[in-house]
Amino acid sequence: MKKEELGFETIQLGHGSGGLMTRDLLDKIIFKSFSNPYLDQKHDGSIININGRIAISTDSFVVSPIFFKGGNIGELAVNGTVNDVAMCGAMPKYLSLAFIVEEGLKVEDFAAIVNSIKKAADESGVQIITGDTKVVERGKGDKIFINTTGFGEVNPKAKIASVHIQNGDKILLNGFVAQHGMAIMSQREGLEFESTIVSDTTNLNFLVNDLINEFGDKIHLFRDPTRGGVASVLSEISQDIHKGVVIYEDKIPLEKQVAAACEILGLDPLYVANEGVFMVIVDASICDDVLNFMKKDPKGKNAAYIGEITQEHPGKVVMKSAIGGKRIVSPLIGEQLPRIC
Amino acid sequence: MKKEELGFETIQLGHGSGGLMTRDLLDKIIFKSFSNPYLDQKHDGSIININGRIAISTDSFVVSPIFFKGGNIGELAVNGTVNDVAMCGAMPKYLSLAFIVEEGLKVEDFAAIVNSIKKAADESGVQIITGDTKVVERGKGDKIFINTTGFGEVNPKAKIASVHIQNGDKILLNGFVAQHGMAIMSQREGLEFESTIVSDTTNLNFLVNDLINEFGDKIHLFRDPTRGGVASVLSEISQDIHKGVVIYEDKIPLEKQVAAACEILGLDPLYVANEGVFMVIVDASICDDVLNFMKKDPKGKNAAYIGEITQEHPGKVVMKSAIGGKRIVSPLIGEQLPRIC
């Protein structure tokens, strides 16, 4: 989509009016990109047929910058919500899509974001079925914010809930931590490394679904450690279930470059946001099988067992270092990296 | 909720971190207000049981000012989405709720908005089942933006779609037009009238559902003329169905004070946003019955028949004046009143 074909160069207030300019923007970019029988009705809502247990999740994305190494706010908005639905043990099927655009956004940027949304939605197997576009005056927003709400069918084999977690359960991650946060952060700080750190934004729904199909109710919990990172998710879980968590420092999958970037910026990788990482807590009996299963999938090839649930120190997360030291991993308090997603 | 009990006066970036400050804000304000079995899971998503045809609609609300005569952005965010779901012929049941807050928003304002959301949700019979809170830096947003996505069960008796509209069908409105837009506008312009113009924001789902139960498939379409007003909705419909629309100027329900405000500001009430108004297009045979039925309901007491569908001038809306003049009602092009909802 070139600005010559579109007939306008920037998003203007009128594009949020609900009048002809809005329709023009929708027709030329949105409806053209996402055409499907639901959206093609062009109404305020959409009607779908659903039966059974449905997982629903919503997220607004305010990441800055909107284009970053490894992705942009558009695919993040799809993958983020797809993954939240997947963490419920469900296969995402539909997304709603709502934009809040700051007046003056280049229409080429908007179109590029929409293209990424389309691509990410196709890759995840979800359809955009309804949406909304608002425009705010220059200086009253920041380029573009995106809300997506996702709906998915819960896998009948899934029995995912923190109440099922038992002492001795094993904790695994599917891959390297802290990549998304450090990609954004090094870009903001203008840091150059030997190779570029790229965001890990990707969909996780297929691997998650395969795991459920393979291991059923022996999988007790999925969580994606986005804002607040692995440390915050583990802290929340240990408090929710009143059990302890032990993790092993040398088992946390961490890419060298990312570790270096964290050190330079004084950030603990355990608190840095991820977008393509999930944690799975499983019955101890299947730990090795889950690890091997994940390693065969491109999205799990760096999977690792990182720790376990314990009856000791309930409500607390303890990290053991390679040389036998112990420290408490406290939950994140305030903001480490604002607008990371 | 007083700021003394909360322990903080303004929303800070850390409240969007995903860490303890986020949890504190959620626990003290959000979870406390909306407690229900779905939300109480405190996870990223929620699982519900659904069977059948489900209507889904999403909207972001960016109205400015956030508090206005007759309401605030919170109840608008509930009623707006509730009504969009209702327009699909469905009874809304669940809402997701996502905030984008500008750093520095007074926590008392935030709490007041949450209270209004709770009240409006209760009145509409919907539950808040999942949500999200993001905070952006001062100057990168404007106090608060809210996205709601609503889910409702389609009434089995509903057969609502523009394809069912026929020549001769009658068009009715449930009440006075242009109230919401003029309430916002006169507040922005600092205009004083003899009495205050208040927003008409309200839920319409119960009256809509009663109409479907009473008149079934003889009701062909519901639409709520929000952004762009009655004129834009009628223009869209006439273009979609390739039929003409005739409306009668002296039949449009318009409150005197609102008419005066429109005149002072040079605005055509047909293009001004509504939040408690719906249009219903019905088989000619039931026009009087629908009118009488609506008039018995407090939300339809000023209902009026305003025009009809015609085979003449397909794709165009024509307004006839009291003295026999005719003019084409063209669709809104750009922005008349930015950030009206």
Side-chain angles (χ1 to χ4, degrees):
Chain A
M1 277 170 281
K2 300 258 172 248
K3 58 190 175 191
E4 292 73 24
E5 296 163 35
L6 294 168
F8 49 94
E9 281 189 36
T10 61
I11 304 292
Q12 295 151 44
L13 282 173
H15 288 120
S17 64
L20 282 188
M21 282 177 69
T22 303
R23 184 54 84 102
D24 190 47
L25 180 75
L26 296 180
D27 283 341
K28 286 181 178 162
I29 303 189
I30 306 285
F31 293 137
K32 197 174 156 188
S33 298
F34 300 120
S35 176
N36 66 51
Y38 307 104
L39 196 67
D40 293 350
Q41 306 285 323
K42 298 184 184 181
H43 277 189
D44 279 343
S46 200
I47 293 176
I48 54 180
N49 264 298
I50 292 186
N51 284 302
R53 290 167 75 211
I54 303 297
I56 295 181
S57 185
T58 194
D59 251 328
S60 294
F61 294 83
V62 299
V63 65
S64 174
I66 56 174
F67 293 95
F68 48 82
K69 296 277 185 277
N72 67 48
I73 191 171
E75 63 197 282
L76 202 65
V78 173
N79 292 336
T81 293
V82 158
N83 292 346
D84 279 349
V85 171
M87 295 304 119
C88 298
M91 185 54 96
K93 292 199 66 177
Y94 305 105
L95 279 189
S96 68
L97 174 65
F99 298 105
I100 299 175
V101 183
E102 184 191 14
E103 177 190 16
L105 179 72
K106 281 185 206 152
V107 71
E108 284 170 309
D109 286 349
F110 183 68
I113 289 165
V114 169
N115 277 342
S116 295
I117 291 173
K118 168 66 176 162
K119 192 161 167 280
D122 286 348
E123 285 171 5
S124 302
V126 296
Q127 284 183 298
I128 308 291
I129 56 166
T130 190
D132 180 50
T133 307
K134 293 290 191 309
V135 182
V136 297
E137 308 91 325
R138 217 176 278 262
K140 300 295 185 184
D142 194 12
K143 295 190 177 75
I144 187 166
F145 302 145
I146 303 178
N147 177 281
T148 48
T149 304
F151 320 95
E153 293 171 355
V154 178
N155 188 322
K157 289 189 177 173
K159 215 171 158 189
I160 311 288
S162 55
V163 293
H164 302 313
I165 297 174
Q166 287 158 16
N167 293 328
D169 276 8
K170 302 296 181 183
I171 305 167
L172 299 97
L173 290 175
N174 68 312
F176 291 133
V177 301
Q179 304 217 135
H180 176 72
M182 293 321 297
I184 301 283
M185 208 55 195
S186 52
Q187 197 163 336
R188 281 193 205 155
E189 302 289 326
L191 293 179
E192 298 279 340
F193 298 97
E194 276 172 44
S195 65
T196 310
I197 299 176
V198 300
S199 167
D200 60 342
T201 178
T202 193
N203 64 61
L204 299 167
N205 50 322
F206 299 109
L207 176 52
V208 163
N209 195 52
D210 289 347
L211 284 167
I212 297 169
N213 284 335
E214 185 72 17
F215 299 102
D217 63 6
K218 290 219 153 60
I219 293 179
H220 296 156
L221 200 73
F222 289 107
R223 285 293 289 276
D224 58 340
T226 52
R227 279 186 292 179
V230 171
S232 298
V233 166
L234 285 175
S235 296
E236 274 185 34
I237 293 171
S238 70
Q239 281 165 30
D240 283 353
I241 63 175
H242 306 291
K243 295 181 192 296
V245 168
V246 178
I247 53 175
Y248 303 98
E249 190 169 17
D250 57 356
K251 295 195 189 296
I252 309 288
L254 181 61
E255 203 263 328
K256 244 167 116 177
Q257 189 97 326
V258 172
C262 284
E263 211 163 299
I264 290 168
L265 293 169
L267 296 169
D268 183 338
L270 280 186
Y271 293 88
V272 177
N274 308 282
E275 288 294 337
V277 173
F278 68 93
M279 176 186 297
V280 54
I281 300 182
V282 305
D283 191 276
S285 66
I286 59 164
C287 178
D288 291 344
D289 293 340
V290 170
L291 194 59
N292 291 331
F293 190 95
M294 288 210 283
K295 280 177 179 289
K296 277 185 233 151
D297 190 292
K299 294 189 182 177
K301 65 177 191 287
N302 299 306
Y305 148 71
I306 65 159
E308 58 248 337
I309 305 296
T310 168
Q311 58 183 352
E312 291 163 50
H313 50 81
K316 290 204 167 24
V317 180
V318 169
M319 183 154 81
K320 294 191 179 172
S321 73
I323 54 162
K326 278 188 196 180
R327 70 171 176 94
I328 288 184
V329 178
S330 50
L332 180 67
I333 296 173
E335 189 54 278
Q336 190 195 42
L337 303 167
R339 298 182 60 192
I340 208 71
C341 62
Chain B
M1 279 170 280
K2 300 259 172 249
K3 58 189 173 190
E4 290 74 25
E5 296 163 37
L6 293 170
F8 49 95
E9 281 190 36
T10 61
I11 304 291
Q12 296 152 42
L13 281 174
H15 287 120
S17 64
L20 281 188
M21 282 177 68
T22 303
R23 184 55 85 99
D24 190 48
L25 179 76
L26 296 179
D27 282 342
K28 286 181 177 162
I29 303 190
I30 306 285
F31 293 137
K32 198 175 156 186
S33 298
F34 300 121
S35 176
N36 65 54
Y38 306 105
L39 197 66
D40 292 351
Q41 306 285 324
K42 298 185 184 180
H43 277 188
D44 279 345
S46 201
I47 293 176
I48 54 180
N49 263 298
I50 293 186
N51 284 301
R53 291 167 74 211
I54 303 297
I56 295 181
S57 185
T58 193
D59 250 329
S60 294
F61 295 82
V62 298
V63 66
S64 173
I66 56 174
F67 294 94
F68 48 81
K69 296 276 187 277
N72 66 48
I73 190 170
E75 62 195 284
L76 203 65
V78 173
N79 292 336
T81 293
V82 159
N83 292 345
D84 279 348
V85 171
M87 296 303 119
C88 298
M91 185 55 93
K93 292 199 66 178
Y94 305 106
L95 279 189
S96 67
L97 173 65
F99 298 104
I100 299 175
V101 182
E102 184 192 14
E103 177 190 17
L105 178 73
K106 281 186 206 151
V107 71
E108 284 170 310
D109 286 349
F110 184 69
I113 289 165
V114 170
N115 277 341
S116 294
I117 291 172
K118 168 67 176 161
K119 192 160 167 279
D122 286 347
E123 287 172 4
S124 302
V126 295
Q127 284 183 299
I128 309 290
I129 56 165
T130 190
D132 179 50
T133 306
K134 293 290 191 311
V135 182
V136 296
E137 309 91 325
R138 218 176 278 264
K140 300 295 185 183
D142 194 12
K143 294 190 177 75
I144 187 167
F145 302 144
I146 304 178
N147 176 281
T148 48
T149 303
F151 321 94
E153 293 171 354
V154 178
N155 188 320
K157 288 188 177 174
K159 216 172 158 187
I160 311 288
S162 55
V163 293
H164 302 313
I165 297 175
Q166 287 158 16
N167 293 329
D169 275 8
K170 301 297 181 184
I171 305 166
L172 299 97
L173 290 175
N174 70 312
F176 292 132
V177 301
Q179 303 217 136
H180 176 73
M182 295 319 297
I184 300 283
M185 209 55 196
S186 51
Q187 198 163 334
R188 280 192 205 157
E189 302 287 326
L191 293 179
E192 297 278 341
F193 298 97
E194 276 171 46
S195 66
T196 309
I197 299 174
V198 299
S199 168
D200 60 343
T201 180
T202 193
N203 64 61
L204 299 166
N205 50 322
F206 299 109
L207 176 52
V208 162
N209 195 52
D210 289 347
L211 284 167
I212 297 169
N213 283 335
E214 184 73 17
F215 299 104
D217 63 6
K218 288 218 153 60
I219 293 179
H220 297 157
L221 200 74
F222 290 107
R223 286 292 290 275
D224 58 340
T226 51
R227 278 186 293 179
V230 170
S232 298
V233 166
L234 284 175
S235 295
E236 273 184 35
I237 293 171
S238 70
Q239 282 165 28
D240 283 352
I241 63 175
H242 307 290
K243 295 180 192 294
V245 168
V246 179
I247 55 173
Y248 303 98
E249 189 168 19
D250 58 354
K251 295 194 189 297
I252 308 290
L254 181 61
E255 203 263 327
K256 244 168 116 177
Q257 191 98 326
V258 174
C262 285
E263 212 164 299
I264 289 168
L265 293 169
L267 296 170
D268 183 337
L270 280 185
Y271 294 88
V272 176
N274 308 281
E275 287 294 337
V277 173
F278 67 94
M279 177 185 296
V280 54
I281 301 182
V282 304
D283 191 277
S285 66
I286 60 164
C287 179
D288 290 345
D289 292 340
V290 170
L291 194 59
N292 291 331
F293 189 94
M294 289 210 280
K295 279 176 180 290
K296 277 184 233 151
D297 189 291
K299 295 188 182 177
K301 65 177 192 287
N302 299 306
Y305 148 71
I306 64 158
E308 58 247 337
I309 305 297
T310 169
Q311 59 182 350
E312 290 165 50
H313 50 80
K316 289 202 165 30
V317 181
V318 168
M319 183 155 79
K320 294 190 178 172
S321 75
I323 54 163
K326 279 187 194 178
R327 70 172 175 93
I328 287 183
V329 178
S330 49
L332 180 67
I333 296 174
E335 190 53 277
Q336 191 195 39
L337 303 168
R339 298 183 57 191
I340 209 70
C341 63

